[in-house]
Amino acid sequence: MRKRTGALSAAVSSLVLLSISPAEASVIWDGDASRGTGVFSSLLCDSPGSVVAQDNNDGRGKVFKFNKPLGLERCEAHGISVGGSRYTFKNNSTYYLGWDTSTNTPDAGTIFQWKSYGTGDQHQQNYPVLMKVEGGVLKLFHIEVGEKWTLKWSTPVTTSTYKRIVLGIHTSSSASSGWVEAYYNGSKVVSFSGRTWDDLGNDTRFGTYGAEVKDKRVINWIDGLKVGTSYGDVD
């Protein structure tokens, strides 16, 4: 009986380890600002714009400050770095992206792009999934082939107040297989299907961007950046 109990205990322990390990391994990237801007693959923010990690003495510790002054159209971080190298997102895969955002203006332009690689004829969807803050409203768009924009969800937002955003994206170059689901401050707000993967692949862009904000001073504070394979990895 003792041997049997020991064997059972060992089997249970193995099952517990097996059940825990995949969950831990599914966290792909922790973009904590305390690690500096090296957590991103590259920065797209010309001088005098800047991306820095700073402590605003609000209890959060260091957060990323994307500072876009007058005259610039963008101040973004492109891609994520894992193990010192640019991470390559893949087709037919599921990713969850989570982050907190707080902007100084109700017209911060595009704050997130699921950006396609290539230019011109190299891609069919420049940015299949995109989020904007304009007119005091946070908006989530799906952009289909042919630049067909569809507003999928929106909500009024307050400036200088952090909001938690989580996007689940199942990548697919087929309109019938790809899907997106969005969570706002812990609640699921929308889900939809559609093409989410372009010809040369897609990558993340966080920050602020757009011709409509070139004449505005925009600051986007971003905190709690994570990428995983389930909602629980990034909430």
Side-chain angles (χ1 to χ4, degrees):
M1 290 297 292
R2 288 181 182 176
K3 289 183 180 179
R4 190 175 179 183
T5 302
L8 181 60
S9 298
V12 170
S13 296
S14 297
L15 286 172
V16 170
L17 287 173
L18 285 171
S19 65
I20 291 174
S21 297
E24 293 176 344
S26 61
V27 177
I28 296 170
W29 176 70
D30 184 351
D32 194 299
S34 65
R35 299 168 57 199
T37 57
V39 299
F40 302 113
S41 294
S42 59
L43 301 179
L44 306 175
C45 189
D46 294 336
S47 180
S50 62
V51 182
V52 298
Q54 70 175 42
D55 192 332
N56 293 324
N57 298 312
D58 57 1
R60 283 181 169 266
K62 286 189 174 181
V63 301
F64 288 113
K65 179 184 180 182
F66 290 77
N67 179 33
K68 189 207 73 65
L70 292 172
L72 294 183
E73 290 190 4
R74 79 170 72 241
C75 188
E76 296 179 295
H78 186 187
I80 62 176
S81 181
V82 176
S85 301
R86 187 186 202 105
Y87 181 80
T88 301
F89 292 94
K90 295 179 175 60
N91 194 13
N92 300 311
S93 302
T94 301
Y95 301 100
Y96 282 80
L97 322 172
W99 72 101
D100 295 345
T101 180
S102 173
T103 62
N104 69 321
T105 170
D107 292 297
T110 298
I111 63 166
F112 170 78
Q113 299 183 67
W114 182 235
K115 183 70 172 67
S116 300
Y117 282 106
T119 58
D121 293 338
Q122 292 179 307
H123 59 213
Q124 298 184 63
Q125 288 173 291
N126 195 353
Y127 22 61
V129 183
L130 182 147
M131 297 194 80
K132 285 189 172 189
V133 174
E134 56 183 3
V137 178
L138 175 64
K139 302 176 180 180
L140 171 63
F141 292 93
H142 180 228
I143 297 89
E144 301 173 67
V145 174
E147 282 286 316
K148 181 184 177 182
W149 288 59
T150 304
L151 177 64
K152 293 296 186 177
W153 172 79
S154 65
T155 187
V157 290
T158 304
T159 59
S160 302
T161 302
Y162 283 98
K163 285 75 67 175
R164 184 68 180 173
I165 297 169
V166 173
L167 293 179
I169 301 176
H170 181 73
T171 60
S172 177
S173 54
S174 168
S176 61
S177 300
W179 54 258
V180 176
E181 57 184 31
Y183 298 78
Y184 183 68
N185 289 336
S187 298
K188 188 175 183 179
V189 291
V190 71
S191 61
F192 58 90
S193 60
R195 191 177 192 264
T196 57
W197 188 257
D198 206 33
D199 301 344
L200 299 180
N202 293 80
D203 214 338
T204 57
R205 287 194 183 183
F206 298 97
T208 174
Y209 164 74
E212 71 273 22
V213 295
K214 188 173 182 178
D215 62 346
K216 294 179 174 62
R217 295 183 177 88
V218 180
I219 295 174
N220 186 0
W221 291 276
I222 296 180
D223 187 25
L225 281 156
K226 287 187 177 181
V227 174
T229 59
S230 70
Y231 176 80
D233 296 333
V234 304
D235 68 341

